[in-house]
Amino acid sequence: MPNTHPDTDPDTDPNQGYHYQVIRRAIEAIDQSEAPQSLDALAAATGMSPAHFQRLFSAWAGVSPKRFQQYLALGHAKALLREKFTTLDAAAGAGLSGTGRLHDLFIRWEAMSPGDFASGGAGLRMAHATLDTPFGEALVFGTDRGISGIGFTAEMGRDAVWHDLTTRWPGAQFHEDTALLRPWAEAAFGQAGETRVQMIGAPFQIKVWEALLRIPTGQVSTYGEIARSIGSPRAVRAVGTAVGRNPVSWLIPCHRVLRSTGGLGGYHWGTPVKRAMLAWESAQADPAARTALAG
């Protein structure tokens, strides 16, 4: 997307799609380089002046592009596991029904009945939209009760993501409705407002996804810890499968699950997306970095 807003104020501009494209190109440039990228190089990759790019990127990430690159480093996952590992016992009693404050977002959570899951969403009207996000293009699905699916297309391609998500609700009727889904998606990725989520899954999957919601922003857990927290300590492999089948990426934070060795592990929509998400959340959770930026 060409730079058509040279004087955009990142704090007030409502054109989130423009912001998302800028950040996406910057992350791609960082991710594809073996060496740290200079401010001038990153600005050139986005078609912006260095000063404007620095301002826009810092408004989104909360830290400078230079600092963000440190969070994207491959060794960052091990540091997270060492320093930001969380057990889920403390959050177990928080409850996830109704409206609650979850990972810095107001999320209205609703799980469909086992019967709805068994029927493959038969008779369900499922809206879809193709939207820009800071982590690349995403296909977003949902009902009038909330978002039911978010899939990122950068690694798999749009057709593959469409097939992946639509086959989870084979009985549903799909129709395009960007107006319905955009406000919830922008609230989710913009960290403001209320996002509604309506999940469709098997009972075991729902239990795992609820555990994912108890991992605080900026912290991580492991597959084994999640298995233990849901009372199935030996079901690590089944937990891994359920994590991978999470249809609502980002909102149900499967990107916060690492291997016990500190490795990133897999990510259904591609490890570059997972790294970018973890880097952004680390930046948000780093008050020292944000204070330095403000100064």
Side-chain angles (χ1 to χ4, degrees):
M1 178 180 293
N3 178 16
T4 57
H5 304 272
D7 297 319
T8 298
D9 184 339
D11 296 320
T12 60
D13 176 40
N15 192 343
Q16 289 290 348
Y18 164 65
H19 287 181
Y20 293 164
Q21 289 286 0
V22 170
I23 300 307
R24 176 187 59 80
R25 294 200 300 273
I27 290 175
E28 286 179 350
I30 292 170
D31 212 46
Q32 293 170 5
S33 176
E34 296 182 359
Q37 292 282 289
S38 67
L39 176 62
D40 288 346
L42 290 172
T46 60
M48 305 176 71
S49 70
H52 183 64
F53 170 73
Q54 170 99 346
R55 189 159 60 103
L56 179 59
F57 188 96
S58 299
W60 173 75
V63 296
S64 69
K66 179 179 180 180
R67 181 72 168 177
F68 190 80
Q69 290 183 75
Q70 296 173 1
Y71 294 129
L72 273 177
L74 291 175
H76 180 54
K78 292 185 177 180
L80 275 174
L81 193 61
R82 183 174 61 250
E83 301 169 7
K84 299 291 185 178
F85 175 78
T86 184
T87 61
L88 302 179
D89 291 338
L96 293 169
S97 60
T99 301
R101 189 72 173 177
L102 300 171
H103 61 87
D104 303 322
L105 283 171
F106 275 108
I107 295 181
R108 189 183 299 276
W109 162 277
E110 180 179 346
M112 287 191 174
S113 70
D116 290 322
F117 171 75
S119 68
L124 186 70
R125 281 183 54 80
M126 182 75 71
H128 66 86
T130 303
L131 301 172
D132 289 319
T133 83
F135 310 108
E137 180 187 81
L139 296 185
V140 181
F141 291 78
T143 71
D144 57 1
R145 294 187 176 183
I147 291 176
S148 299
I150 299 177
F152 297 93
T153 67
E155 295 291 307
M156 297 173 60
R158 190 181 296 180
D159 290 344
V161 173
W162 171 269
H163 180 266
D164 183 303
L165 287 175
T166 55
T167 54
R168 303 184 189 214
W169 316 291
Q173 299 175 352
F174 297 95
H175 66 285
E176 187 171 6
D177 193 341
T178 302
L180 172 67
L181 298 174
R182 186 188 297 278
W184 289 333
E186 289 186 348
F189 290 106
Q191 301 286 283
E194 180 184 79
T195 297
R196 296 182 181 181
V197 176
Q198 186 177 39
M199 298 293 289
I200 305 175
F204 182 81
Q205 291 174 327
I206 294 292
K207 187 180 295 187
V208 171
W209 299 339
E210 287 178 342
L212 294 177
L213 280 168
R214 295 199 296 271
I215 306 174
T217 301
Q219 298 187 33
V220 295
S221 193
T222 64
Y223 298 100
E225 167 66 11
I226 291 173
R228 189 192 63 76
S229 74
I230 64 172
S232 303
R234 297 184 179 181
V236 176
R237 181 170 295 182
V239 164
T241 299
V243 169
R245 292 293 292 172
N246 164 34
V248 187
S249 304
W250 179 247
L251 285 176
I252 310 298
C254 51
H255 60 277
R256 296 179 191 159
V257 184
L258 305 178
R259 292 175 176 167
S260 59
T261 59
L264 276 177
Y267 188 64
H268 194 72
W269 310 113
T271 53
V273 175
K274 182 174 185 173
R275 287 174 57 207
M277 289 178 174
L278 288 171
W280 185 88
E281 291 187 337
S282 293
Q284 298 300 299
D286 187 344
R290 295 174 67 86
T291 299
L293 180 68

